[in-house]
Structure formats: C-alpha cells, structure tokens
Amino acid sequence: EALASTQLARRTLPIDRAAMCSDGGHAGTAVVEVAAAMPHGSDTHFRVGDRIRRLSVPHLLRGHRSEDGQGSCTSSSPPTSAGAAGSGLIGGSSSHALCLGPDAPPEGREFLLVPRAGPRGQPYWNPARVRAVIIVCGGLCPGLNTVIRELVITLYQYGCTEVWGVDGGFSGVVEPEHWIPLAPENVQHIRQQGGTILRSGRGNPPHVEMAAALRQRGVNQVFVIGGDGSQKGAMQIYDAAEAIGFSDLSVCGIPKTIDNDIALLDFTFGFHTAVAKASEVIMSAYVEASCNMGCISLVKLMGRHSGSIALHAAMASRHVSLCLIPEVDIDMDKCLKHIVELQESKRRGVVIVIAEGLGDTLLEACGADAGGNKRMPDAGLWLKSQIEERFADLGKPWSIKYFDPSYTIRTSEPNAFDSDYCSLLAENAVHGTMAGYTGFCVGRMDGNDVMLPSPEVANRTSRIVDICAADFTHVAHMTRQPPLGTTYAALPCDHCLPMAADTTGAINLATVQPEPLAIPELGDRFLTSEVVQTLSVDRVAGALAARAPGSGFVSPLQAFGHCSASFQASDSWFLRAPPPIYAGAQHKATEHPLQLLRAGPRLTLQWSPPQVKALIVINGSLCPGLNSIVRELVMMLNLYGCSDVHGVHGGFLGIAKPDEWLDITQGMVEEADLQRGSLLSVGQDDPPHLDMAELLMRTLVRESISHVYFIGGYGTHEGAMRLGEASTKLGYGISMCAIPSTIDSDLAFVDYASGHNTAVAKASKAIDDAYSEAHGCPNSVGVVKLGEHSGFLALRATLAARYVDLCIIPEMSVSMDKCINYIIESMSNKKRGVVVVIAEGLKDTLPLAGTNVGDVGLWFTAHLEEEFDRRQLPFRVNYSDQSSTIRAAHPDPIDSIYCACLAQHAVHGAMAGYTGFTVGRVSHHYVMLPIREVVSRGRGAVNIHGNSLARLMRTTHQSVDAAGAPSQGNMAARAKSEEQAGELAGSRVAVASLPVPSRQRLLPNPLCGRRAAACQGVQQRRYLGSPLFRACRGGVWAFLGALSAQQGLGSRSVGGALREPFRQLLPAAAPLPSLPPLRSRIVLSSSALRC
C-alpha cells in the first residue's frame, strides 16, 4: 500500500543530438545540451540550457605505452580476499557519477559526468616493476601519516615492494639523500601520530628537473599530498614528464587542507578534525566568557581565504554569539555596535569567532611566503584592539580573552572520521594509478568518491563559503546575528552549488524518438531508465490545519535579512541516482533514480507561529546527540515565534499522560547540549498498534498539539508512521516529523543517522584499547562487541581503527569453527595478540537453530575460551563491551552539527505544513523523506557487494574461510524475525552460505535463562560464582522490587527478559513477584582502564 501511494513520474526529455560537441577547454570532454523547453512546474531533473559535460581522466593505455612492456599486466588483480563475495570492483555500467557542477551556462546548469574512484578488475602496471614515490607539500594537516600508511600498505597488497618517501616536499625530489624507503613494518603505527614522518616543504625546483629526477630513479607512480598549490605542482610535473618524453608515469594528487578550500570537492581530509579541535577551543572560550563578569572571548581560527573552519566550528559548539568570515562584506561600525548590544543583553558571556582570512578583507596583506601565499596581518589582534577602543569610548567595563589555536589544530592526530576518509583516499589513489590512470586527483564530489582530472582542480579558484547556501543560514539561525555588511550578496565563486528556489528534481532522461541518448558510462540504469520514483511528502489537511496548502503566513525568518536564495520553494527537488553496481552484483530492475524533496526554510508557512503547540518524543535506546536535537528544536521554534513546547517522558506511552509532560523553555535547554544522555527520559516501547495509535492521536488532538517531533531509530519511525495512519483515519491535521537517531545507522536512504559518527569514534577508541592490551600481554585475544542490529558500526569502526584481525558482522554467514581456526592460526603467526570485532546483531543471524544466544559477545567469548581449553592452548581472551558507554557519550562535532541541521530542517518542514516525513542527508544533500517509504524498506544492511565490505576484507586481511561468505540467507532470516516485508538495502544477490560444521558444541549462556547445572568450567565459576547468584533467591526478588519502587520505575509488564534468568534459578514452588520493567546494561571497560 505504501508503494502504491508513491508517485511515479515518467518524462521524455528532448535533447539536441547535434549539440554533442567537443569542449575546447577540456580535452576529451563532451557536452550534451538540453534543447527543448520542459513544461513549467514539471518534476524533471534537467531544464532548458542545462548541459552534461563528461570529464575524462588520462589513461596510459589510451596514450603512451612503454616499449619493453613493463606497464602491461594481465595476471594480477586488485587486492581482494580470495573468494570474497564483496569484491568492491567498479562495474562498467556505473563507472561514472553524475554530479552537479559549479559552472553555469548562460541559461541552466552544468552537470559533470565524473569517473568513480575504486578498484578496477584489470591493473595496467605489473606490481613487480612498480616504483612509487610519496611527496608531502604545504602546511601540516591532521591525517598525513594515515594517508602515507595506507598508500604504502595498499601498494604492498598489490605486490609493489619499492615504495619511497621524499623528505622535504618537492625540493627533496632532486636530492637523492632525501629519499626514504617505506615498508608496512615502519609505517604500521604512525596513524596515531600527528604531523608527518616525511617532512613537508614549501616551494619547488623547476618541474623539468623533478621529472628528470623521477625518470632517473625509475619511478612510475607519484603521489602528491598537498593543497591547491601542490595539486598545481603535480599537474606541472605530469606536463613536464610529457614534455621530456617520460610518458609511462602515473601521477595522482591527494588534496589536503584544513581550510577546505579545494575546488569541486565536498571536503578535504583533515577538515573534520580541525573543526573538532576548533570547537573544543570555542567551548573553552565559552567557559571563560560565561564565568567572568563583562567578559568577551575572541577566537581566531585558520582559513586563509575560506571561513569553513570558523563556520562549522561555530555550528558544532552552538554557543557562539557572532561568527565573522571573509566571504561577508563586513561594516565594522555595524559589527562593533552589535557586539556592544550583545554584551548588554546576554545573560552569559559573549563568544566571537573570526576567520584568519579577514586579514585580507578588513586589512591589507603584504608580501608572500615561499609557497606564494599572501602574508596577512593578524585580524584577531586587530579586532581585539577595535573592541577595546569602542568599549573604552563608551566607558563600559570589559575584559577580552583571546584564543589562537591555529598550529595546535594543524598538528593534531586525525579523528575517526578523517582516519577512515584518509584511508579511503589513499586506497582510491593506488587503485587509480595501478589501473593506469594519470594526471588525476581523488576526492568526494556531490557525495560520490571520484577521480578528477588535475587541471579541473588546479586551474580553478579556491573554494569559499557560499553565504546564500544552507551552512551559513544554519549559523545565522544559531547565532541570530543580523546582516553586518554593506551588501549581502554572495561573493563570486565558481564552486557554489545552486540553491535557487526553482531548483527541480528528477527525470526519465530519454531522448527524442526513436533511440535514446547513449552515455555508456551510466548505462541504461539512469539516463535511459523508464521511470524516476518521486518520494512525495504529504501536506497537513484536516481539522487542525491552519491554512490550506498553497496559502499561508510569511516566514518570520525573512526579517533577518539573509540571502533569499537560502529559502526553498515547495517544489524544490533533488535527484539521487541509483547506487553504483559492483562486480558480482546483479542489478535489480526496481532500483530507479529517486526524486527527493529538498529540506530547508520556506518563504510561506502553513502554521501561524503563535498558535503552534509542539511536542517532542524520544523513543528507543540512548544515542549521542539527543540533547543537541532537543535544544535546537526548541531554539528554532522560538526563532519562528513558537513558545509553547512540551517534552514527553517515557516515549510513546508518555503521550497518554499529558499531566506529566514537561514544559520546555529556551532557558531550560540553553546548555542542554553540554550534558550527556537525554533531558527527556527515553521510552523503549514497541511501536504502538493501530488502536493504541488512535488513542494517542486523540490525546494529541485533545491537547491541541499541532507539531510532533519523534527522535529515534527504525522502531520510532514505525511508531510515527502508525500515528500518521491514525491521524489520516480520524481526519486530524498534525505536522509529524521523525528525526533519525541511532548508533546503528540502519535506516533506509539516509547517509547516516545522528549519533552514528560519535559511536564510530568511541568504538574505534575501544578497538585501539583492545589492540594495546592484546599486543601488550602475551597470548591475548581482544574481543570487542559493537552495534545492535546491523554491521555498519562494527565495519566503520574497524576501518577507522585499522588494527583489527577479524571483523564479523550480521551480513556474513558465520561458521564458528572457521572463526576459531582463523584466530588460532593468526595467534600462531603473529608475534603479538589478535583483535576481533563482532557485531551484536549476530545473535539474530547466527545459524544456531533453537539456541538462545543472548549476549553474543559473552557467548562468543565463552565459546572461544572453551575451545582454547579443549585444545590446551595458552591463550586468554579480554572482552570489551562498551555499548552503554557509547550510547551515553557526548556527541562529537560532526554529530553536533548534524543534530543541529536535522532539528532545524525538521522545524522548517513542520512550519511549512509537511507531515509524515523524516529529515536526513542523502548524497550530501538535506532532504525530506516520507516515513512510510523509510519503514517499508526495512532495516538497512551492509551492501555485501559494495566497496566498504571489500575494504574491510583488505584491511583485516581476513578471507571467506575466516568468517564465511556474505549471505542473502541471513538477510532473509532477519527480515522474517523482524516481520518486515520490505527489501533490505545492500543484499543484492544470494551467495551460497558456508556450511556450519555438524559438531557445534554450544556453551549455554547463564545470562539467557539457563540453569546453573548446565554451565561448565571457567564459565560456571565466572558467572555463577558472583555474590548476586549466591544470594538468597527470595531476597534477590525482594531487593529488586524495593529498588525499582525506590527509583520510581513504571508499572508496565515488559520485564520478561530479566525475569527469565531468575525464574530458572528459583524453586518451582517459589512465587514470582510482579516487577516493573527493568533493563540491564553491562559495561565492560577493563581494557580501556588498563590502557
């Protein structure tokens, strides 16, 4: 029924085939222009004047070949685990990605057809003949050592054993004594170090001399790590090599800069770590300002021409009063006047964040450094003196605390996000050069990992912040700063993605009859597909709707005077192309391009802000960032003029108790984001059935609730959908929005849920602790349990930490005997210990019929120890389960920004009259999705044929024999167990499961209701020898009952999971008291304490 209600749009696009021509500015490109007009208001993706430009990356096979054939290789293949189902090889029909480009034709927009990055099936280079060199240029940046490490390890995985690092940047290329041999053993542990083991340098000798030096040393692969200037240098080395006849040379650039100012790319490595460290400094500045009377904290952050760090750090920290970036034309008189008003009006201190680049806009730069960069005066100290003079003239008491963390940020070690991203960039760089590509850069564009021709990156102006786009609007709403410039138009920049109100979404791109336009890189899945699926979002209608759709109130946000282009029209769409097809997968005909409704503020509202009464409900498990979402919801509603906001204790069932609702004010949540956990007690109820949903809906109507915001994971979305169905059945109009929040990030469509990145960071730290203990103690195996339902958390944490020998996730078909044999073999081969990561969701997919696994981590550990004892092996197991610690963690800056953006977009959508939707980021764009579509797809799962699983296999070096093949059967079992009829994302084809050995001696888990007599050996002594199990059985129940009554727990009867273990231990005649619901959390953090 949900799919039947989805609109399917069919469109035919007239294209002038004669318009396909060679673009003289870009060699090897082709341009397709849309020639015919489309109907006004149609939901097509392309408009008149739009053009598609194909970017071609140079390839040695298409250009020059070495005469001795050293570049030819037909026997080698990319490094994948033998027999692995998820090879991650890019298939031919999806080898390109369609990205929205920066250059606009006279009418319309430009789309770039860009080669995807990733492994190819046929290498160009013979690994035995490869000589690779790594060069680091420019300033320091978090993640440099991680990139160097992964370049070396990936090259060695291909079979390349001659890898060199150049000390001193480009200058060291011509000095042989600066060449350092690199091997996996001397880069294994540099990931956790800041800076770089290869000293960076600025400036360079003539490029012809560097090309000649590379040819003399027999180098055929060059990796240049640096900013925009370094990428120009890499391009010039490539051109110089061509000029001297040195044709067999693969040159790849890996862009790095904390400024995030590389053209075309979404972001560069090191940027997220820089934002995280900068936000920590801002929080220190906030403490100073709020704990001292009349205090102003001024923080200067790096950003030579771009204010990206200052902008995102202000979003992450939330407590910034004013953010000044070089992209805004600032009137200093207005700025100083606003600072005085802030000092007079704010109850706590004032925090001002300023970007380094203001030294070039407010002041005048003088001279340049060795890299050609302008030497700019210190804008922070200058602004500090201006503020001091203004306050002195007014005779006001003041105190200014000045913070400049620039070089502290640059030398930091990368966080989990950057660690994973650095590894991905390095792997893609090696995949590209080994496949024979040259003169290219790797990066992420429009949410796609791609290879870009070096001239496309090097010849463009540096990227700057678009003050008419969403990010600056988010900051303006958080700081509530007015326009401070003489004009508020965006500065000219060629990177900004159009955010105009008339942006439209998706099409069926077919040409005029009789044959479709052929762009083979995208195949017939996208450009010639018959349908594009439009996921429309319902509008409020019914008894409580304030206005009919199409008419409404003027948004009060327009009073801020910010760029009007930041507002979205009601028909503003975004197109998500189908995901890439990897080798070994079979394309499913049901995968169509998706047309999704863009999130963002609307010019007109359907609800009158003073009449809005909002309710916030949190359901499910704890998750990092819950308080951040609640805070931003309240702040954004107050910004609209809605002051009647309430919170529910206890999840869905708390809706039925309006007398216990919490009145939430702006002052109450002002510092809520500084607290961990949740301001509102989290309900852990199952989604309400339809009758209960109708009862809850009647309560909402009786209390005149107009907005309901649900925060949680898949179950919460299912409950929100049931309430929406009840609202439709009863004819009530309420705006209902769900905000994804789960550490598993297993919701369909969205890139990730809030809290997931924090969970990955904490989980990778737990893996590092387990690695330290396993390698610090003889004969140790570290076992870390992560996640809940899917394998996303375990997979991403493994990729971020890197020090894992075996990772087992629910998407794999697991053979315990093979796992144990692999662990024992690894312990025998390695000089130090072994680290194993398992996902909690394995308890739902392990092929153990009739066995109650319970806590899969404890079960796995016990089974492993039993096998060690049986084989008389001197191995010990150190088990770590920090699930509760992860769930209760404070959100990291990435999640803090994401939580704020999700909350703002949720309020924008609800105020505009949308209902039954969830907000999230899809392919790097914020969109609104119908909840029914998210729920109908079921829980998401790791793509068993995707690049992520292939990267996991390469990182851990585990083979199919270690844990079993990825299996469609496990996915089907999970869907059945969860009673979900929807398709599980990522399970593309059925792969034969490895047989489970007939001899499976399973150790009963005493925590799963087994009697004490069934337990044996060390497990019996460990679990049943505790004082709790030795205590008087009746006294245990009395104690639990008294404790629950003292804590004021509810009276719902859902405590069966806790009752069952004690039921097995009590005599049959002993009466079982009626207990309120209880839920246990076990925190095992011994490894973290010891390390």
Side-chain angles (χ1 to χ4, degrees):
E1 293 176 354
L3 292 176
S5 64
T6 304
Q7 300 179 10
L8 295 180
R10 296 175 181 268
R11 291 290 183 268
T12 300
L13 177 65
I15 289 185
D16 185 2
R17 297 180 64 86
M20 294 189 63
C21 59
S22 175
D23 188 346
H26 304 274
T29 63
V31 178
V32 180
E33 293 189 359
V34 180
M38 303 305 300
H40 177 70
S42 65
D43 50 2
T44 55
H45 183 49
F46 295 96
R47 302 193 299 266
V48 174
D50 287 358
R51 66 179 183 179
I52 305 171
R53 183 157 62 88
R54 183 189 295 115
L55 301 184
S56 297
V57 174
H59 194 280
L60 297 177
L61 188 62
R62 295 195 295 261
H64 305 279
R65 293 290 301 273
S66 56
E67 294 181 0
D68 60 356
Q70 71 167 4
S72 178
C73 176
T74 59
S75 59
S76 181
S77 60
T80 58
S81 300
S87 63
L89 303 180
I90 297 292
S93 63
S94 60
S95 60
H96 283 59
L98 190 65
C99 306
L100 182 61
D103 297 329
E107 295 181 358
R109 298 157 299 169
E110 180 185 56
F111 293 85
L112 301 179
L113 199 59
V114 189
R116 292 187 184 273
R120 264 60 179 178
Q122 183 66 38
Y124 170 81
W125 292 103
N126 185 345
R129 297 178 179 269
V130 167
R131 290 187 176 181
V133 63
I134 303 171
I135 307 171
V136 180
C137 303
L140 294 182
C141 177
L144 287 172
N145 277 337
T146 303
V147 174
I148 295 171
R149 176 188 187 273
E150 296 308 317
L151 285 173
V152 174
I153 289 178
T154 307
L155 283 166
Y156 267 76
Q157 285 180 344
Y158 266 99
C160 313
T161 57
E162 291 193 55
V163 185
W164 300 82
V166 174
D167 194 23
F170 283 135
S171 300
V173 174
V174 297
E175 301 178 8
E177 63 274 13
H178 285 193
W179 288 51
I180 303 172
L182 299 176
E185 53 269 18
N186 55 26
V187 299
Q188 179 67 22
H189 298 97
I190 66 174
R191 180 187 69 86
Q192 296 175 314
Q193 303 173 14
T196 170
I197 61 171
L198 302 176
R199 288 184 298 174
S200 180
R202 296 187 183 272
N204 56 269
H207 296 90
V208 174
E209 294 183 11
M210 288 191 285
L214 294 173
R215 180 169 62 176
Q216 183 179 1
R217 298 292 294 263
V219 172
N220 43 34
Q221 291 188 17
V222 179
F223 301 94
V224 179
I225 310 171
D228 51 359
S230 302
Q231 301 311 312
K232 292 179 181 178
M235 180 187 67
Q236 291 166 344
I237 290 177
Y238 168 71
D239 293 338
E242 289 282 338
I244 64 175
F246 183 23
S247 57
D248 264 346
L249 180 66
S250 290
V251 180
C252 173
I254 305 176
K256 67 95 183 142
T257 170
I258 64 173
D259 288 353
N260 196 32
D261 59 354
I262 301 294
L264 297 180
L265 301 183
D266 295 343
F267 49 82
T268 52
F269 79 82
F271 171 68
H272 290 87
T273 303
V275 170
K277 296 299 181 181
S279 64
E280 293 176 4
V281 176
I282 293 176
M283 291 311 301
S284 299
Y286 175 71
V287 172
E288 280 284 352
S290 60
C291 296
N292 292 282
M293 291 295 295
C295 181
I296 297 175
S297 287
L298 178 61
V299 182
K300 189 196 79 171
L301 299 175
M302 297 193 76
R304 183 173 295 276
H305 301 292
S306 170
S308 287
I309 294 181
L311 192 79
H312 288 82
M315 277 196 284
S317 56
R318 309 288 183 87
H319 298 283
V320 174
S321 310
L322 180 62
C323 181
L324 303 176
I325 58 176
E327 289 82 356
V328 177
D329 184 13
I330 298 174
D331 185 327
M332 277 308 302
D333 187 62
K334 290 182 180 180
C335 181
L336 294 173
K337 182 179 178 180
H338 180 63
I339 294 173
V340 173
E341 293 174 352
L342 287 172
Q343 186 70 359
E344 294 174 345
S345 61
K346 289 186 73 70
R347 182 173 59 89
R348 308 299 290 268
V350 176
V351 179
I352 302 172
V353 174
I354 179 175
E356 173 192 17
L358 287 173
D360 192 28
T361 57
L362 294 179
L363 303 174
E364 185 176 350
C366 55
D369 59 16
N373 300 312
K374 294 181 180 179
R375 296 186 183 275
M376 294 182 292
D378 193 318
L381 293 176
W382 178 83
L383 180 60
K384 179 176 180 288
S385 65
Q386 293 292 310
I387 297 173
E388 291 173 342
E389 292 178 6
R390 177 59 62 96
F391 275 81
D393 293 341
L394 296 176
K396 293 181 177 293
W398 49 268
S399 172
I400 299 181
K401 310 294 184 183
Y402 183 62
F403 297 78
D404 184 359
S406 302
Y407 293 98
T408 303
I409 291 175
R410 299 199 326 173
T411 56
S412 303
E413 65 179 78
N415 61 11
F417 183 94
D418 270 330
S419 180
D420 183 16
Y421 187 55
C422 289
S423 302
L424 177 64
L425 291 178
E427 292 170 4
N428 287 339
V430 176
H431 294 325
T433 56
M434 289 300 297
Y437 292 101
T438 185
F440 69 98
C441 298
V442 290
R444 186 167 295 173
M445 180 181 181
D446 214 14
N448 300 284
D449 295 315
V450 298
M451 297 186 294
L452 291 165
S454 293
E456 288 288 336
V457 175
N459 293 334
R460 294 179 182 268
T461 57
S462 297
R463 172 177 180 167
I464 60 175
V465 173
D466 181 8
I467 61 175
C468 289
D471 285 343
F472 187 80
T473 303
H474 289 314
V475 172
H477 291 163
M478 291 178 187
T479 62
R480 306 194 178 190
Q481 64 189 58
L484 300 174
T486 55
T487 176
Y488 217 74
L491 298 179
C493 59
D494 66 356
H495 75 282
C496 302
L497 302 182
M499 295 289 291
D502 62 343
T503 302
T504 54
I507 68 152
N508 157 33
L509 181 57
T511 58
V512 293
Q513 298 296 328
E515 58 179 348
L517 174 67
I519 299 184
E521 289 83 357
L522 290 181
D524 58 358
R525 301 184 311 113
F526 175 62
L527 291 181
T528 60
S529 64
E530 295 182 355
V531 296
V532 169
Q533 187 174 358
T534 300
L535 303 186
S536 58
V537 178
D538 297 331
R539 301 297 292 267
V540 171
L544 294 183
R547 298 256 181 145
S551 63
F553 306 92
V554 176
S555 173
L557 301 185
Q558 297 186 56
F560 282 88
H562 297 301
C563 185
S564 60
S566 63
F567 290 87
Q568 301 289 332
S570 60
D571 60 346
S572 181
W573 299 93
F574 160 71
L575 177 76
R576 193 202 76 169
I581 296 179
Y582 296 94
Q586 297 177 359
H587 168 60
K588 300 179 70 173
T590 57
E591 292 180 352
H592 301 296
L594 296 178
Q595 179 172 266
L596 309 175
L597 189 64
R598 285 187 183 271
R602 266 53 179 178
L603 290 171
T604 57
L605 310 178
Q606 188 165 341
W607 295 99
S608 172
Q611 300 175 1
V612 168
K613 187 175 182 180
L615 192 67
I616 302 174
V617 183
I618 305 178
N619 204 74
S621 299
L622 274 183
C623 182
L626 292 178
N627 280 338
S628 297
I629 296 175
V630 173
R631 177 190 188 274
E632 204 59 35
L633 285 173
V634 176
M635 290 292 190
M636 199 68 216
L637 285 166
N638 275 264
L639 189 62
Y640 268 102
C642 314
S643 57
D644 197 359
V645 185
H646 304 269
V648 171
H649 285 299
F652 285 115
L653 293 185
I655 298 176
K657 304 174 183 178
D659 295 339
E660 299 179 9
W661 291 356
L662 176 67
D663 295 335
I664 306 179
T665 63
Q666 183 173 335
M668 183 184 300
V669 301
E670 186 174 359
E671 294 187 343
D673 60 305
L674 304 181
Q675 306 170 14
R676 300 190 300 174
S678 173
L679 180 68
L680 304 173
S681 61
V682 178
Q684 296 171 345
D685 318 299
D686 292 330
H689 52 75
L690 187 57
D691 291 340
M692 181 182 293
E694 292 183 9
L695 176 64
L696 298 180
M697 182 55 60
R698 293 182 190 277
T699 303
L700 296 175
V701 174
R702 186 170 58 251
E703 297 296 325
S704 301
I705 297 297
S706 50
H707 290 187
V708 184
Y709 300 95
F710 299 98
I711 307 172
Y714 179 83
T716 304
H717 282 67
E718 188 177 5
M721 182 187 70
R722 302 268 177 83
L723 284 174
E725 294 171 351
S727 173
T728 302
K729 180 179 179 180
L730 298 175
Y732 296 136
I734 297 179
S735 287
M736 290 186 291
C737 171
I739 300 174
S741 178
T742 167
I743 63 173
D744 269 356
S745 192
D746 56 355
L747 291 172
F749 299 116
V750 296
D751 295 342
Y752 52 87
S754 63
H756 178 64
N757 281 297
T758 303
V760 170
K762 297 297 181 182
S764 65
K765 178 62 169 60
I767 294 174
D768 286 341
D769 292 337
Y771 172 81
S772 298
E773 183 166 21
H775 282 239
C777 300
N779 299 325
S780 293
V781 177
V783 177
V784 183
K785 187 192 76 172
L786 300 172
E788 289 188 1
H789 297 287
S790 71
F792 288 112
L793 177 56
L795 184 146
R796 284 200 59 198
T798 298
L799 292 177
R802 317 301 291 176
Y803 302 137
V804 176
D805 299 280
L806 177 63
C807 179
I808 314 172
I809 58 177
E811 291 78 2
M812 296 176 177
S813 177
V814 179
S815 165
M816 279 303 301
D817 274 6
K818 291 187 176 182
C819 286
I820 292 175
N821 290 335
Y822 178 78
I823 293 171
I824 293 175
E825 181 183 355
S826 299
M827 289 290 293
S828 302
N829 294 336
K830 298 183 68 171
K831 298 179 181 179
R832 313 294 290 273
V834 168
V835 177
V836 181
V837 173
I838 59 175
E840 186 176 358
L842 283 170
K843 65 183 179 183
D844 300 326
T845 60
L846 281 172
L848 306 173
T851 301
N852 187 1
V853 174
D855 188 313
V856 71
L858 293 175
W859 177 87
F860 184 88
T861 300
H863 197 60
L864 196 59
E865 288 181 333
E866 181 199 20
E867 194 65 24
F868 289 163
D869 291 342
R870 190 184 67 82
R871 302 189 188 189
Q872 298 182 349
L873 296 173
F875 301 151
R876 54 175 293 187
V877 181
N878 298 316
Y879 177 55
S880 176
D881 177 9
Q882 300 192 38
S883 302
S884 297
T885 305
I886 291 174
R887 281 191 286 263
H890 191 274
D892 70 358
I894 299 175
D895 267 328
S896 184
I897 294 174
Y898 193 46
C899 289
C901 294
L902 291 180
Q904 289 190 11
H905 287 309
V907 175
H908 294 324
M911 292 300 299
Y914 294 100
T915 187
F917 69 96
T918 184
V919 290
R921 190 155 67 174
V922 176
S923 299
H924 209 60
H925 296 266
Y926 286 99
V927 298
M928 293 187 288
L929 297 160
I931 295 178
R932 63 179 181 272
E933 291 293 335
V934 175
V935 173
S936 68
R937 260 86 174 162
R939 294 186 186 272
V942 174
N943 186 349
I944 62 176
H945 295 293
N947 191 37
S948 294
L949 188 61
R951 291 183 61 214
L952 172 70
M953 294 293 190
R954 292 193 294 268
T955 299
T956 61
H957 306 288
Q958 68 191 64
S959 63
V960 172
D961 290 335
S967 171
Q968 172 82 359
N970 277 355
M971 298 297 97
R974 177 189 297 178
K976 182 178 180 181
S977 66
E978 296 175 351
E979 299 180 355
Q980 297 296 340
E983 158 194 18
L984 287 175
S987 300
R988 304 302 183 204
V989 293
V991 181
S993 303
L994 290 178
V996 179
S998 57
R999 188 195 64 80
Q1000 281 280 8
R1001 184 185 178 194
L1002 301 177
L1003 179 69
N1005 187 346
L1007 300 185
C1008 301
R1010 303 285 178 170
R1011 293 187 62 86
C1015 300
Q1016 303 173 6
V1018 64
Q1019 286 73 30
Q1020 180 179 4
R1021 297 191 300 271
R1022 173 175 298 173
Y1023 299 126
L1024 299 184
S1026 65
L1028 175 63
F1029 282 84
R1030 291 199 309 265
C1032 170
R1033 294 165 179 171
V1036 170
W1037 286 113
F1039 169 73
L1040 290 176
L1043 178 63
S1044 60
Q1046 177 185 357
Q1047 298 297 327
L1049 299 177
S1051 59
R1052 292 180 291 111
S1053 179
V1054 294
L1058 182 63
R1059 294 165 61 100
E1060 183 61 23
F1062 291 98
R1063 181 192 301 272
Q1064 299 293 336
L1065 296 175
L1066 287 172
L1072 294 180
S1074 177
L1075 284 181
L1078 302 174
R1079 186 161 181 169
S1080 62
R1081 295 295 192 197
I1082 301 177
V1083 181
L1084 299 175
S1085 54
S1086 303
S1087 297
L1089 296 175
R1090 283 192 287 266
C1091 299

